Amino acid sequence: MTFAPAAPADTHVLSAAAMAVALSDVAAGYHDRVALEDVSLDVRPGSLLAIVGPNGAGKSTLLKVIAGLVPAWSGSVSVLGAAPGSAAERIAYVPQAELVDWHFPITVSGVVMMGRYPRLGLARRPGKADREAVREALASVGMLEHADRQIGALSGGQRRRVFLARAVAADAELFLLDEPVTGVDAATQEDIMGILAANASAGRTIIATTHDLACAAQCFRRVVAINRTIVADGPAEIALDPDILARAYSGHLLVLGGNRVVLDDAHHHDESASERHFHDNGG
Amino acid sequence: MDLVLEPLGYPIFIRALVAAILVGTVCAVVGTYVVLRGLAFIGDAIGHAAFPGVVVAFMLNAPFYLGAAIAAVGTALSIGFVTRRTTLRADTTIGVLFAGTFALGIFLFSAIEGYVADLFSFLVGNILFISFSNLIGLLILGGVVLAAVAVLWKELLYSTFDPLGAAASGLPVGRLEYVLLTLVALTIVVSVQAVGIVLVVAMLVTPPAAAQLLTVRFGRLMGLAVVFGVAGAVIGLYLSYWLDVASGASIVLVVTTIFLAVLAFNPRGGLLRPRGQQQRRATAE
């Protein structure tokens, strides 16, 4: 990407193996529809990175390529120093809230315990250490007192925190979050970002999609703007740079006296519905 | 009391009783996943798809459950395969394969000379027809299904609740789906002689559905479903014996009655409870 502001200069000092995520010339999509092309991205361990862009730009697809849920058609993908999918038990993926069945018969601690399942292995029941890890994870997001409630009985922000606790309980090194702060109020957003920042400071790598540009600029340390390919990559402030936004959002952005208004939210539900459909068929 | 104890003197009834408990248990355990994944239509389809296998087994003088297992598992895996490899919606694929395989069964059934009461009993269920050797086969098959769930329950649970999260953290979600479809098919094979091809889906779906109205915990849901399933199968067997009616119908009517009673009166907001109580419940949550 020659587009300024460029990625931090030291990004290329680390080899791909030392990067948490290293993508080079990646293309990906669903059936015959291209969602991403020419995507190159290096993410250092401990990063707190937001992927922004209009709906249909490929934010969720990029996250799924990193998660190993959508295969790259071409290019190279290295996640935690391995091929996508091979370091899976060190990855935690949190889906968009609207894809979760909140009526599912499971408690808060039951959801967090799922984070322990992949490491436990077949036929092994969760033991004392797992229950302790679940309690600690719930405490770290301030949800311990709600451990025995059904997940659907929680508020939107509490539900997000439960899924963050699942990632913590999984002892994951890479958190991949699809729209973690969409549809919650400002105070809740601040709580969630506080939890994510603390995990990043502890050395975990956090990558989240968001279409909230203000949040991307204020709460993340690095922003990658995409629209089928990466149009900008740099420190968080670029999320508020009108030139970059014009490129990422092309005709869908209105700049009104320094306030940016994104005009594409009407398509949001269409996009997630079709992505879910494709995943059901292909995943 | 004699009405309950008297039939226990007959080996045929004891066999039917063992089969009823087996069917109630296995259906409820596997049906819990079926209900939570929205696979009821697939269950119905696989039940019908077992029919040509039963007819061919009859023509070849082989145990019915072998033919049924091959047909049911084959159809279950085909549904999964076609849905993944084409852009057709799952319910479309199911509709095509379901009607096609059942038509093959009816075709073969009607090609057999004369009226075959044995085969007709598979359509509506006759639990008192279960022979000793068939019962042994069904117990082994049911045991295999329960053992598989005992080994895979948490992986199946995770991939049911959050398939993306489960796959990203390394669970083989695609293969688990094929395993579950196979378990549904084997469960249906265990159940078809007791409840019949036409009604077998009710044993998979109705007991867990009633349980889901009563609890928000997965383990309790499965446990309650087993209680409802076994109670329905055993009471249905007695009704079938006392009234001389098809056991499939009587068993399904009992589990349906249990479901309707829970729907109407359950303490978590039954439809027939006073409105005030429902509202208090709603505000408490």
Side-chain angles (χ1 to χ4, degrees), chain A residues 148-161:
Chain A
D148 292 327
R149 297 178 73 187
Q150 196 259 335
I151 41 154
L154 304 177
S155 71
Q158 290 173 326
R159 292 172 179 183
R160 315 291 168 108
R161 284 199 252 171

Side-chain angles (χ1 to χ4, degrees), chain A:
Chain A
M1 294 303 110
T2 52
F3 196 80
D10 60 348
T11 320
H12 296 286
V13 175
L14 288 177
S15 68
M19 288 289 172
V21 174
L23 307 186
S24 174
D25 294 326
V26 166
Y30 306 90
H31 296 286
D32 51 2
R33 184 173 69 96
V34 181
L36 291 174
E37 51 192 355
D38 298 328
V39 171
S40 296
L41 178 68
D42 287 324
V43 184
R44 304 168 71 96
S47 296
L48 182 58
L49 182 150
I51 301 169
V52 302
N55 292 304
K59 297 191 296 288
S60 294
T61 307
L62 177 54
L63 207 63
K64 285 177 183 165
V65 167
I66 297 168
L69 297 172
V70 168
W73 288 348
S74 59
S76 71
V77 179
S78 163
V79 180
L80 298 176
S86 5
E89 74 287 344
R90 293 189 282 149
I91 296 174
Y93 177 92
V94 176
Q96 284 180 37
E98 60 199 68
L99 296 186
V100 176
D101 172 11
W102 297 106
H103 295 294
F104 200 92
I106 194 153
T107 58
V108 166
S109 59
V111 172
V112 179
M113 185 60 88
M114 285 179 183
R116 307 292 294 176
Y117 289 175
R119 283 168 189 263
L120 268 174
L122 294 184
R124 297 234 341 252
R125 294 174 63 85
K128 201 174 167 215
D130 300 297
R131 284 191 292 275
E132 190 50 42
V134 167
R135 284 179 61 83
E136 278 174 23
L138 279 171
S140 78
V141 301
M143 288 294 292
L144 193 52
E145 59 184 308
H146 301 290
D148 292 327
R149 297 178 73 187
Q150 196 259 335
I151 41 154
L154 304 177
S155 71
Q158 290 173 326
R159 292 172 179 183
R160 315 291 168 108
R161 284 199 252 171
V162 172
F163 274 78
L164 293 185
R166 189 180 75 182
V168 172
D171 208 8
E173 291 162 43
L174 175 60
F175 288 19
L176 301 168
L177 314 153
D178 206 353
E179 300 286 352
V181 292
T182 301
V184 299
D185 60 49
T188 307
Q189 191 171 309
E190 211 166 289
D191 287 348
I192 291 170
M193 289 314 303
I195 294 166
L196 290 181
N199 277 286
S201 300
R204 292 166 170 149
T205 308
I206 318 285
I207 302 178
T209 64
T210 181
H211 60 253
D212 186 333
L213 295 171
C215 171
Q218 284 161 22
C219 310
F220 287 83
R221 297 187 195 132
R222 178 177 164 199
V223 166
V224 169
I226 68 169
N227 194 348
R228 224 157 87 146
T229 188
I230 294 182
V231 297
D233 180 353
E237 307 85 75
I238 67 161
L240 297 178
D241 183 312
D243 295 333
I244 287 167
L245 290 175
R247 268 184 83 134
Y249 287 83
S250 28
H252 301 283
L253 186 85
L254 204 59
V255 181
L256 297 170
N259 292 318
R260 274 139 298 270
V261 183
V262 177
L263 296 176
D264 69 340
D265 261 2
H267 303 295
H268 182 65
H269 291 282
D270 295 343
E271 181 207 16
S272 54
S274 70
E275 292 207 353
R276 177 178 209 178
H277 173 69
F278 283 116
H279 179 76
D280 285 348
N281 286 334

Side-chain angles (χ1 to χ4, degrees), chain B residues 8-205:
Chain B
L8 296 177
Y10 303 101
I12 187 177
F13 191 88
I14 299 286
R15 287 204 296 270
L17 190 64
V18 172
I21 294 167
L22 174 73
V23 168
T25 306
V26 177
C27 280
V29 166
V30 174
T32 298
Y33 292 104
V34 169
V35 165
L36 293 178
R37 283 199 186 215
L39 296 180
F41 188 40
I42 289 191
D44 198 21
I46 295 173
H48 284 74
F51 192 49
V54 172
V55 179
V56 170
F58 178 82
M59 291 160 77
L60 299 177
N61 220 357
F64 86 88
Y65 52 83
L66 285 184
I70 292 168
V73 173
T75 306
L77 298 183
S78 307
I79 289 171
F81 183 78
V82 175
T83 305
R84 279 171 176 276
R85 293 302 173 91
T86 67
T87 52
L88 293 175
R89 287 172 53 101
D91 57 349
T92 307
T93 314
I94 296 164
V96 171
L97 293 176
F98 156 37
T101 47
F102 193 51
L104 178 62
I106 301 282
F107 182 87
L108 295 171
F109 178 45
S110 53
I112 298 173
E113 299 271 319
Y115 171 75
V116 192
D118 271 7
L119 280 179
F120 191 72
S121 78
F122 279 97
L123 285 175
V124 293
N126 195 333
I127 197 168
L128 292 165
F129 271 28
I130 294 180
S131 68
F132 183 72
S133 64
N134 278 350
L135 181 61
I136 298 299
L138 298 186
L139 281 169
I140 293 170
L141 219 48
V144 168
V145 172
L146 293 178
V149 175
V151 170
L152 292 170
W153 68 271
K154 65 184 191 305
E155 286 77 15
L156 287 170
L157 173 63
Y158 194 176
S159 64
T160 298
F161 174 63
D162 178 5
L164 292 176
S169 65
L171 296 187
V173 170
R175 263 179 286 160
L176 284 167
E177 189 172 342
Y178 283 117
V179 168
L180 184 60
L181 288 173
T182 305
L183 294 179
V184 171
L186 294 179
T187 301
I188 282 164
V189 173
V190 169
S191 316
V192 280
Q193 200 167 11
V195 283
I197 280 159
V198 183
L199 295 174
V200 66
V201 67
M203 283 310 283
L204 278 174
V205 170

